[in-house]
């Protein structure tokens, strides 16, 4: 007699859900780190998304009684019989994982699209330090360069970055003391001319949808007013004459003593000689795309001397002919170690590339925090992008 065919449910979920969760998390982190390493070597990044996981858990139970016959002392007349019980339990896990290449047109466009002003403003209003946000996502601020030639394939020329870091340090000190706040305020701008009589409800509704409003002027004639939300940086009155505020104004050419500065995207003349001599009242941002950010942080790799000697990476020298250490531009922001041999035991995430292990150390909290931010924003960029390429479905064997 036997029994079979009992399907397990909650127990399998309890034991395997977190296992799959950890596997997806660790491989996604490793994939991002591998692409950062590839970019440092001017290699092509590539990504696969886990678009589906389907798994079937099954438990098989069987029980049987087997007849057994024997004799005592070799005498056939003294025989006996017995029933021997036999029980067996087996489990099977049959996962099917679908991987999709992220190489379609929409994904590539997102990878190359610079972050919007709203995106930068959103990050400034989170708990992430303003220095981290601006160092990662700004090419320049008021045309003061943040190592602009570091956000692409490595060039031979030394980047310009020291002034930017000096200004950002002052900005971070102001934020730490709560003396600057990023936000928005409503602005209104009257459009030229007056509005013809005979407006309908449909006209009013259409105007409201586009952020416009009809209002009477001082002559009781209707004018069209454009309403908008303007991102600004507000300065605490006690900080207007502070050393940090003077430093910030000096580095980025701001007009000193103002209680607020508008945030804009590529609004200023690129040539600072054309700016007003007493400074400007805007903080003009040129933002980076996700791909540019990944190129930028890739400069934080410890490139093995062997690879430099063999020409695997572009060498950069200063005006004296000495090698330039690109890790200076990512100091206290992002650092990837390298070692040959076994996988480092202190690695949070590690990938092997050209016979070396490249890894993020668990004790490097600056890099851990930056990597976490990159992971989250990379998910936002790739969310919902499943690619047009063929999906690779892997039916894995049972266990």
């Amino acid at each position: 007699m036997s029994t079979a065919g009992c399907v397990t449910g909650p127990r399998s979920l309890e034991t395997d859900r977190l296992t799959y969760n950890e596997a997806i998390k660790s491989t996604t982190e490793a994939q991002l780190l591998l692409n950062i390493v590839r970019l440092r070597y001017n290699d092509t990044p590539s990504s696969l998304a886990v678009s589906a996981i389907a798994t079937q858990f099954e438990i098989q139970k069987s029980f049987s009684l087997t007849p057994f016959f024997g004799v005592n002392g070799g005498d056939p007349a003294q025989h006996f019989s017995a029933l021997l019980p036999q029980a067996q339990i087996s489990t099977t896990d049959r996962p099917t994982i679908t991987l999709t290449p992220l190489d379609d047109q929409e994904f590539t466009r997102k990878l190359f699209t610079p972050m919007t002003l709203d995106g930068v403003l959103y990050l400034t209003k989170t708990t992430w330090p303003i220095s981290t946000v601006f160092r990662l996502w700004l090419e320049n601020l008021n045309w003061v360069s943040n190592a602009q030639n570091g956000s692409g394939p490595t060039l031979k020329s030394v980047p310009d970055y020291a002034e930017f870091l000096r200004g950002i340090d002052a900005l971070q000190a102001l934020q730490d003391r709560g003396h600057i706040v990023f936000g928005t305020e409503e602005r209104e701008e009257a459009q030229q001319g007056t509005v013809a009589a005979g407006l309908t409800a449909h006209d009013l509704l259409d105007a409201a949808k586009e952020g416009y409003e009809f209002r009477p002027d001082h002559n009781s004639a209707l004018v069209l007013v454009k309403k908008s939300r303007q991102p600004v940086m507000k300065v605490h009155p006690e900080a207007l004459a502070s050393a940090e505020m003077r430093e910030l104004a000096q580095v980025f050419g701001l007009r000193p003593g103002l209680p607020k500065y508008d945030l804009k995207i590529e609004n200023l003349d690129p040539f600072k000689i054309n700016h007003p001599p007493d400074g400007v009242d805007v903080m003009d941002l040129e933002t980076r795309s996700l791909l540019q950010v990944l190129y930028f942080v890739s400069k934080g790799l410890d490139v093995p001397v062997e690879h430099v000697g063999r020409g695997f990476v572009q060498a950069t020298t200063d005006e004296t002919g000495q090698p330039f250490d690109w890790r200076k531009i990512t100091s206290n922001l992002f650092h990837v170690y390298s070692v040959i041999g076994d996988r480092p035991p202190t690695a949070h995430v590690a990938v092997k590339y050209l016979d070396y292990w490249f890894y993020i150390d668990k004790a490097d909290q600056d890099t851990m925090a930056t990597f976490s931010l990159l992971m989250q924003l990379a998910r936002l960029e790739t969310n919902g992008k499943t690619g047009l390429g063929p999906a690779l479905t892997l039916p894995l064997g049972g266990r």
Side-chain angles (χ1 to χ4, degrees), residues 11 20 28 98 122 133 142 184-185 244 259 273 384:
R11 290 183 181 177
Y20 280 106
T28 302
T98 302
Y122 171 78
V133 175
N142 285 5
T184 61
E185 62 180 25
E244 290 80 11
I273 193 173

Side-chain angles (χ1 to χ4, degrees), residues 283-297:
M283 298 183 70
D284 186 63
L285 317 178
E286 182 180 348
T287 60
R288 288 173 172 151
S289 66
L290 177 60
L291 183 61
Q292 287 176 298
V293 173
L294 297 181
Y295 264 117
F296 178 77
V297 297

Side-chain angles (χ1 to χ4, degrees), residues 206-252:
D206 285 346
K209 287 180 179 179
E210 299 298 326
Y212 290 91
E213 186 176 298
F214 293 100
R215 292 183 183 175
D217 63 8
H218 60 280
N219 294 320
S220 298
L222 287 179
V223 295
L224 192 60
V225 176
K226 172 67 173 177
K227 300 174 67 176
S228 62
R229 302 296 301 182
Q230 174 60 51
V232 296
M233 183 188 77
K234 296 183 179 181
V235 184
H236 193 286
E238 294 179 1
L240 292 178
S242 66
E244 290 80 11
M245 203 59 217
R246 291 196 302 270
E247 179 90 327
L248 187 69
Q250 192 275 325
V251 170
F252 296 117

Side-chain angles (χ1 to χ4, degrees), residues 3 15 38 76 79 147 149 204 216 221 235 239 262 264 280 283 298 301 305 318 329 332 343 345 359 366 381 387 396:
T3 62
T15 57
R38 285 169 171 165
H79 67 275
N149 57 350
L204 298 175
V235 184
D262 288 354
K264 295 182 178 292
V280 297
M283 298 183 70
S298 76
L301 262 70
V305 176
D318 60 22
I329 71 172
N332 301 320
R343 187 184 192 276
Y359 68 98
D366 289 333
E381 291 293 318
L396 305 180

Side-chain angles (χ1 to χ4, degrees), residues 150-165:
S151 60
T154 305
L155 302 178
K156 296 181 179 180
S157 57
V158 174
D160 183 7
Y161 66 96
E163 279 293 285
F164 183 89
L165 290 184

Side-chain angles (χ1 to χ4, degrees), residues 171-182 234-239:
L171 190 65
Q172 184 62 62
L174 289 166
Q175 186 190 54
D176 291 342
R177 291 202 296 267
H179 283 174
I180 57 168
V181 175
F182 291 89
K234 296 183 179 181
V235 184
H236 193 286
E238 294 179 1

Side-chain angles (χ1 to χ4, degrees), residues 27 48-49 77 130 155-156 192 214 218 231 233 241 256 268 275 302 304:
T27 55
L48 289 173
I130 189 64
L155 302 178
K156 296 181 179 180
Q192 294 294 326
F214 293 100
H218 60 280
M233 183 188 77
L268 283 181
H275 296 177
D302 284 346

